[in-house]
Amino acid sequence: MPQGKTQDTTHNVTCPILILAAGSSRRMRGRDKLLEPVNDQPLIRLQCERAVAAGQPVYVAVPSLDHPRALAVADLPVALIPIPDSNEGIGATLRTSIPRLPDGVQGFMIVLGDLVALNTDDFVAMLRALETYPENLIWRGATRDAKPGHPIVFHHSLRDEFSSLKGDEGAAQIVAAHKDKMHLVELGPQALLDLDTPEDWAEWRTP
């Protein structure tokens, strides 16, 4: 479970990173997967630290400002965005969060908080892709065999398309609408590694 080392994070782009941490962890049977210990600290804190090290502003969507997830990262240099209707699904989280991101940026990166193996190197790779392939509208992390995963960077011009999202399908409809302008960024298996159940966590922790 190594944490990727911080790379040179100097870029000519400004791309805030939004970590989605407002979900309910329904499949964890009472445990909160974002508070599961990874490298001796809660996953959400580790994810925030890795994102901050990429050198961009970091925002974190949480159920409320007094939620344990929010308290776990309250001392970090991140901006917390409370999502009162988070039970509606990820659509509500995105619909509420995206307008809170700063204006005048080239794009914004959306990160699922439960992708346990993403690290700073991956965030930096996404930023480099935004800078290197500016003709696209979406830059998406992928496995080495080109299976699309996360994180996903969206061009700033797509911002308004998040205002009508509903339910629990996230930004899938936005990605589908602009798939001809999407660039896949090869990261590795971590682009799809999420741990949704206690059994998933137990297996991942088994040497």
Side-chain angles (χ1 to χ4, degrees):
M1 296 177 287
Q3 179 175 356
K5 63 181 180 180
T6 304
Q7 299 188 16
D8 176 6
T9 55
T10 302
H11 302 284
N12 295 318
V13 298
T14 302
C15 178
I17 299 172
L18 172 63
I19 298 176
L20 304 184
S24 60
S25 293
R26 292 185 183 94
R27 297 175 61 191
M28 286 293 290
R29 301 195 293 277
R31 286 161 55 180
D32 188 336
K33 61 183 174 181
L34 295 182
L35 297 178
E36 287 287 314
V38 180
N39 293 359
D40 299 320
Q41 58 184 318
L43 171 57
I44 184 58
R45 184 178 180 88
L46 181 61
Q47 192 79 293
C48 286
E49 290 180 344
R50 290 169 169 173
V52 167
Q56 297 290 327
V58 176
Y59 294 75
V60 187
V62 292
S64 65
L65 295 181
D66 60 355
H67 192 279
R69 296 173 190 169
L71 299 178
V73 301
D75 61 323
L76 297 180
V78 301
L80 298 176
I81 303 175
I83 311 294
D85 52 355
S86 59
N87 287 336
E88 178 189 320
I90 195 172
T93 299
L94 292 170
R95 191 178 66 237
T96 302
S97 299
I98 299 304
R100 297 281 299 273
L101 301 181
D103 295 322
V105 300
Q106 286 91 336
F108 47 91
M109 187 187 310
I110 295 177
V111 180
L112 300 181
D114 62 351
L115 291 181
V116 66
L118 285 181
N119 56 50
T120 300
D121 292 353
D122 299 318
F123 299 136
V124 170
M126 299 302 299
L127 296 171
R128 286 178 176 160
L130 172 61
E131 188 174 3
T132 306
Y133 304 97
E135 68 278 9
N136 293 282
L137 292 175
I138 297 174
W139 299 260
R140 184 167 190 177
T143 62
R144 293 193 177 91
D145 54 353
K147 292 181 180 177
H150 295 271
I152 305 180
V153 174
F154 293 88
H155 190 265
H156 71 87
S157 64
L158 302 181
R159 190 171 183 147
D160 289 347
E161 298 189 26
F162 286 80
S163 63
S164 60
L165 293 182
K166 298 179 181 179
D168 208 27
E169 292 192 11
Q173 65 192 57
I174 299 174
V175 172
H178 303 285
K179 61 182 179 180
D180 59 330
K181 298 288 286 184
M182 181 171 69
H183 175 78
L184 292 182
V185 183
E186 181 182 310
L187 300 179
Q190 64 269 32
L192 284 174
L193 181 60
D194 59 347
L195 306 175
D196 289 330
T197 68
E199 291 78 15
D200 291 340
W201 279 92
E203 180 179 355
W204 182 68
R205 287 177 169 136
T206 300

